[in-house]
Amino acid sequence: FEHLSVGDGDAPVSLNVLREALRGAQRAFKASKIRAAAVDPRAPSMPDRVRDRAKDVIAPLEGVLTRLKKALDAAAETPREIFDKYDVDEDEHVTEPELKRIVKALVPAFTADEIRMAMAHVFEHGAEARARFDEDGNELPPAPDGAVAWLAFNDAIRAMNRTVT
């Protein structure tokens, strides 16, 4: 999760707002990393001190993912249609601002921290170092920095259904 979004544009922000955004991004990054490791049976085991605190660290993310999943389930469009609507240049990737618009459109009541949590979850699944292939088996180019490919986006949606053990 390399990008930090503060506000809706290039407007000046106070130091306190920036500091809080950075803290929120750090919490989101940590929660998404720990959750991804907790739901992936291939992931290495967590150290005891991390595992003991994992549920507390990821609880806010779990709440965000539950609300996001409900919004996706209630949406009139499929996840693919939603992705395509925001992929304005049709390059099979959504950028950080496009992903933020998707999240805000699905759950307009999300706070800035909740948006960061949702985005960190998606970016965590986009960061997997495995080859990506389209539906026809053709290898896809890697997503540019700050962008998420359709298959990573879809993986993130499927991961919302996995239970943390």
Side-chain angles (χ1 to χ4, degrees):
F1 189 53
E2 299 173 354
H3 296 266
L4 175 66
S5 183
V6 179
D8 287 325
D10 294 329
V13 295
S14 70
L15 183 57
N16 285 338
V17 169
L18 179 60
R19 193 174 290 134
E20 198 50 42
L22 287 169
R23 286 186 187 124
Q26 288 171 327
R27 285 188 300 269
F29 175 76
K30 180 190 268 185
S32 66
K33 282 280 195 201
I34 291 173
R35 185 182 192 282
V39 300
D40 185 352
R42 299 166 297 161
S45 62
M46 291 182 262
D48 288 343
R49 65 182 181 76
V50 174
R51 189 178 49 253
D52 292 345
R53 294 190 47 235
K55 291 232 185 231
D56 293 335
V57 172
I58 64 173
L61 175 60
E62 289 293 331
V64 165
L65 295 181
T66 298
R67 290 170 62 199
L68 190 57
K69 174 108 178 62
K70 285 180 184 175
L72 281 164
D73 290 345
E77 301 163 305
T78 66
R80 180 63 198 223
E81 290 168 337
I82 293 168
F83 182 92
D84 288 345
K85 182 167 77 173
Y86 289 90
D87 179 17
V88 293
D89 58 3
E90 299 178 354
D91 67 349
E92 290 293 310
H93 300 98
V94 290
T95 62
E96 181 268 338
E98 291 166 341
L99 179 59
K100 183 177 180 181
R101 285 194 288 279
I102 290 172
V103 171
K104 286 174 77 171
L106 286 168
V107 187
F110 269 173
T111 65
D113 271 352
E114 290 169 329
I115 291 169
R116 287 184 199 99
M117 288 273 181
M119 291 176 62
H121 172 77
V122 175
F123 275 106
E124 179 61 30
H125 289 275
E128 294 174 2
R130 64 180 173 95
R132 298 289 183 168
F133 299 89
D134 65 15
E135 289 82 6
D136 298 323
N138 301 314
E139 189 170 357
L140 298 169
D145 281 347
V148 176
W150 155 247
L151 292 174
F153 181 82
N154 197 42
D155 284 351
I157 292 170
R158 285 191 301 223
M160 289 181 202
N161 295 319
R162 294 190 195 125
T163 305
V164 175
T165 56

